[in-house]
Amino acid sequence: MTPSAAVHPVQQAVVDAFSPAARHDPYPAYDVLRAAGPFVPGPHGTQLVTRHADCEAILADPSWSHAEEPALLHPDSDVELAGSFLWLEPPDHTRLRRLVSAAFTPRRIERMRARAVELVDGLLDSALAAGEVDLIESLAYPLPLTMVCDLLGVPAGAHADVRRMSAGIARGLDPDALLTPAELDARTRAVQDFAALFTELIGRRRAHPRQDLITALAQVEADRDTLSEHELLGTLLILVVAGHETTVNLIGNGLLGLLRHPDQFARLRADPDLALPAVDEMLRHDPPVHLTTRTARAELTVGGRVFAPGDAVIVLLGSANRDPEAFARPAELDLSRYAGEPRPRRHLAFGLGLHYCLGASLARLEMEAVLRAVATRVGRCELLAEPLYRPNLVVRGMSELVVRLQEESTP
Ligand code: HEM
C-alpha cells in the first residue's frame, strides 16, 4: 500500500510498522502508534501493544501463552516450525528449557569468552587489512555463526549450510501473509535440509560422543523418556536460528549506531570499559527482535483493557524500547545509560518472563568482545554507502553495511 490522502496516519503507521519498505527505520511508525494509544488494531484480528508498561505486563504474566504463534502467523504453513520450546508452554516448556539450560551455565558461557575474543581478533585483522569491507559479511555473521556452531558441535564444513538454512527459517518467522511464494518454499526446504543435516549429526555423535550440545541432548533422548526425536530437532533448530540470526543483527545495528553517533564512538574509544553497558543500550536503541505474540488463556485485563480468552496481541518490543514514558530521550544512543545508578527501566530486547532469552549472556559476551576490540583497534570507521536492510520483520537487520576502516595508529 502507498501513502495517500485517504489513509489515516495511524493506519499508515500500522502498514509501515510491517512493511519491508520501512525496515530501515520503523521507529517513526512506532511513535505514531504509541501516541495513538496503548492498543491499536493490528493484522489477523490482533491488538498491537505499543507501550513499555503493557508489553512488560503481558510478557511477565504466564497467563499469556506463546504456543498459538505458529497458528496465528503461519496458518497455512506446510512445515513444522513448532517442535521448539519457544512455542511451548509448561509443563513441556519447563522440561525442555531445563535440559538446554544445563548447557548455559555461567561457567560454560565464561569459557566461551576467550573463544569470542580470539574470533573477533582474527576477523578484525582481516577487515582492517582489507580497509573497505561489508561489516555484516566480515564480522557480524561469522562470529555468532561460529560461536553457536562450536557450542552445538557443528563441523566447520557445515557452517555455510547452517547459515543458508537459518536465513531461510529466520525470514520464515515473519507472518506468512508477508512472504512471497519463493520465500515460503525456501523456508520449507530450509527446515527439511536442517532436519536432514542434524539427524545425520545426531547419529554421528551417538556413535562417537564429544563435549558438545548435540551429544548431550542426543544422550538425553537416548537414555531417558524426556526428549523425543522431534523435540530434539526442534530444540536444535531454535538454538541455531535464535542463537545467531539475532546476534548478527545486534552486532550490525550496534556498529551502525556508533557510525551514526560519532560522539558515542569517541566515548567508547576513550573508555573501552563502556563496552558492557553499551551492549544493553544498543539492545534497547535498535533491538534485533522487533515483535512477539501472545494469546490470552483466560479473561485478562491489561492497561485497563479486558481481553477475552483466545484474544491475540502483537507485543511491539521495538516500540516499547523507545517509549518516552519508560526512557528519557529514547531516540538517543547514550552508551552510559546502563552504566550508573539508578538503573534505567529494563529494555525488552531479550523478552521477559517464561520465554526470556536463554542465550542473553552469550549474546552479551559476543557483543562486548566486538565493542572492546573496535574501541581499542579501530581508529576511524566511515560509512561508504547507505546500509541495505533485509525485509525481515521479526528478526530485523541489515544485509550490507559497507565501511572504510582504519587501524588505531600505535603511539
Ligand atoms: C542479541 C541476541 C539475541 C536477542 C536479541 C534475542 C532475543 C530473544 C527474545 C526476544 C526471546 C523471547 C521471545 C518471546 O518471548 O517470544 C528469545 C528467546 C530465546 N532465545 Fe534469544 N536472543 C538473542 C540471542 C540468543 C542466543 C545467542 C541464543 C542461544 C544460543 C538464544 C536462544 C534463545 C532461546 C532458546 C529462546 C527461547 C526461550 C524460551 O522460550 O524459553 N538467543 N530471544
Side-chain angles (χ1 to χ4, degrees):
M1 201 192 299
T2 49
S4 89
V7 180
H8 188 277
V10 177
Q11 281 172 339
Q12 186 60 49
V14 174
V15 171
D16 287 347
F18 291 92
S19 154
R23 284 304 77 204
H24 65 288
D25 188 10
Y27 298 106
Y30 294 154
D31 291 344
V32 173
L33 295 176
R34 266 193 322 274
F39 305 102
V40 174
H44 303 304
T46 58
Q47 291 290 322
L48 305 178
V49 190
T50 66
R51 298 181 185 170
H52 186 280
D54 299 319
C55 291
E56 196 176 41
I58 289 173
L59 293 177
D61 182 352
S63 310
W64 286 95
S65 159
H66 197 210
E68 289 72 17
E69 181 167 301
L72 182 71
L73 300 186
H74 316 294
D76 304 319
S77 175
D78 56 348
V79 293
E80 176 68 90
L81 285 171
S84 135
F85 58 94
L86 175 60
W87 295 291
L88 293 176
E89 290 298 311
D92 288 334
H93 173 267
T94 321
R95 171 174 56 86
L96 296 177
R97 182 167 168 128
R98 193 175 293 145
L99 290 176
V100 181
S101 302
F104 283 86
T105 56
R107 252 176 73 200
R108 188 170 197 152
I109 298 298
E110 244 351 270
R111 280 208 301 268
M112 296 184 77
R113 189 179 291 278
R115 178 70 173 137
V117 169
E118 173 199 22
L119 284 168
V120 172
D121 269 343
L123 295 167
L124 216 48
D125 283 345
S126 310
L128 285 164
E132 285 186 19
V133 287
D134 171 6
L135 283 176
I136 303 299
E137 213 37 56
S138 59
L139 183 59
Y141 244 111
L143 174 67
L145 179 65
T146 313
M147 292 293 286
V148 84
C149 285
D150 281 4
L151 179 73
L152 292 173
V154 177
H159 287 195
D161 287 336
V162 167
R163 175 177 169 175
R164 177 182 52 77
M165 293 168 201
S166 41
I169 297 169
R171 172 62 170 146
L173 297 178
D174 290 348
D176 285 1
L178 297 179
L179 304 183
T180 63
E183 287 169 331
L184 288 167
D185 283 351
R187 177 178 70 190
T188 307
R189 267 199 318 279
V191 174
Q192 287 164 349
D193 291 353
F194 184 95
L197 173 66
F198 279 82
T199 303
E200 199 229 310
L201 287 173
I202 290 163
R204 276 204 250 161
R205 292 296 181 270
R206 280 209 182 106
H208 304 286
R210 290 200 193 162
Q211 292 287 333
D212 60 37
L213 203 53
I214 297 180
T215 307
L217 291 172
Q219 282 172 348
V220 172
E221 195 251 330
D223 294 349
R224 285 177 275 147
D225 197 15
T226 46
L227 182 67
S228 71
E229 175 115 29
H230 174 66
E231 290 169 340
L232 170 56
L233 279 174
T235 303
L236 292 171
L237 182 140
I238 204 61
L239 284 171
V240 170
V241 178
H244 92 272
E245 287 290 330
T246 49
T247 315
V248 169
N249 296 328
L250 172 58
I251 298 171
N253 298 354
L255 293 177
L256 179 63
L258 290 182
L259 284 160
R260 294 238 154 108
H261 299 79
D263 59 320
Q264 298 300 308
F265 191 16
R267 285 179 79 190
L268 182 66
R269 290 182 57 217
D271 178 9
D273 285 340
L274 266 183
L276 189 56
V279 173
D280 275 289
E281 173 64 348
M282 289 168 170
L283 282 160
R284 181 199 69 79
H285 182 257
D286 203 4
V289 178
H290 270 240
L291 60 88
T292 181
T293 68
R294 292 293 187 270
T295 302
R297 293 166 187 273
E299 187 176 287
L300 297 168
T301 304
V302 183
R305 184 187 173 105
V306 180
F307 291 88
D311 281 355
V313 294
I314 296 184
V315 179
L316 292 177
L317 306 172
S319 171
N321 280 2
R322 294 282 187 109
D323 184 350
E325 294 284 319
F327 302 102
R329 301 166 281 101
E332 233 171 71
L333 181 75
D334 171 2
L335 297 193
S336 60
R337 192 186 292 266
Y338 284 92
E341 297 295 337
R343 295 273 292 174
R345 289 281 281 277
R346 60 184 156 206
H347 60 73
L348 299 180
F350 287 130
L352 192 69
L354 278 183
H355 294 282
Y356 180 77
C357 177
L358 197 57
S361 43
L362 178 58
R364 279 200 177 95
L365 85 76
E366 289 180 37
M367 188 61 187
E368 187 189 353
V370 168
L371 291 179
R372 280 190 186 278
V374 166
T376 48
R377 298 191 54 191
V378 177
R380 273 177 64 115
C381 183
E382 190 189 337
L383 200 54
L384 290 186
E386 267 307 294
L388 298 181
Y389 278 79
R390 296 197 283 171
N392 297 23
L393 183 71
V394 176
V395 183
R396 170 185 170 270
M398 287 166 278
S399 56
E400 210 178 278
L401 177 61
V402 182
V403 299
R404 182 178 297 124
L405 293 177
Q406 208 177 313
E407 191 139 8
E408 179 70 275
S409 47
T410 39

